[in-house]
Structures are given as C-alpha cells and as structure tokens.
Amino acid sequence: MEFAELIQKAKEAKEQAYAPYSGFHVGAALRCKDGTIFTGCNIENSAYGPTNCAERTAIFKAVSEGFREFEAIAIISDSKQPTAPCGVCRQVMAEFCSRDFQVLMLGCEGIQRTASLGELLPYAFSLEK
C-alpha cells in the first residue's frame, strides 16, 4: 500500500493543530476505500476533556460526509518516535474500521511503524453489525 500522499497530507494537517496548552502538534490523514482523503489535527481545550485528537477529527469529518469504508490512516506528531493512537481513537477506529485497517505512525524525524488495527487493538469493543 502506498503511503506517500497520506504522509504528506498528515504533515500538512499537523500545521493546523491548535495546541496552546501542550505544544504537541499532531496531524492525521485518513484514506477511504474509494481513495478520498480526509485530514485532521488535534484541537485542544483548556478543560482537556473537550480536546479532540487528529485521528478522530479526520474520522469524524469523513463520517459526517457520508463515508464509512476506510483503508488506512497516517499519524504524525512533533515527537521523535512514532505516535500511536490513544485508546479513545482506537475505539473509534474499532467502530468504523476493519481489523486489517492500516495505521501508519510517524515521528517528526522520519521514524515510522505500520500496524493493522487488529494488532493495535486485539480486544476491541465492537458489536457485530
């Protein structure tokens, strides 16, 4: 699977992050099965709870536009090491993505790791549809 375009879009999305409290900027690019790409960035809030991660921003944008079939997401942050999705984002992925959904995690220095959602979330809370 080719990730170059997803990586570039995730980098661009990271530049839009609103992170005045942590200073930790994250961008994500989600590819739908038809090739459409949705991007997202983290959006912080001083109350912390209303903060939204980049991965969920991208997924929610896609779902709100009627897309429900996804094949991959690229996530990049300011960290040197690859940034894995948090538990809440993994749960959202479990709701909308198959176990073979590809998650590309990148650090700002080019270090990367790719895993399937099934590898990241072996015990996903998911109802059979």
Side-chain angles (χ1 to χ4, degrees), residues 17-97:
Y18 178 74
Y21 308 104
S22 71
F24 189 68
H25 299 84
V26 183
L30 173 72
R31 183 168 48 218
C32 302
K33 287 192 176 178
D34 74 350
T36 304
I37 295 175
F38 288 89
T39 60
C41 62
N42 60 317
I43 304 167
E44 293 182 348
N45 186 283
S46 62
Y48 187 70
T51 293
N52 204 52
C53 297
E55 302 92 305
R56 280 182 283 143
T57 300
I59 292 169
F60 293 163
K61 284 170 65 176
V63 170
S64 72
E65 295 297 321
F67 290 81
R68 300 286 191 281
E69 295 183 352
F70 310 116
E71 64 180 18
I73 193 166
I75 307 158
I76 188 166
S77 72
D78 292 335
S79 173
K80 291 181 182 180
Q81 296 298 316
T83 299
C86 74
V88 175
C89 288
R90 291 179 197 202
Q91 183 57 47
V92 169
M93 289 177 193
E95 181 71 24
F96 292 104
C97 306

Side-chain angles (χ1 to χ4, degrees), residues 94-116:
E95 181 71 24
F96 292 104
C97 306
S98 67
R99 295 185 69 74
D100 64 343
F101 176 77
Q102 294 296 295
V103 181
L104 178 62
M105 299 157 278
L106 300 126
C108 65
E109 293 185 353
I111 300 169
Q112 67 182 48
R113 175 177 177 235
T114 304
S116 70

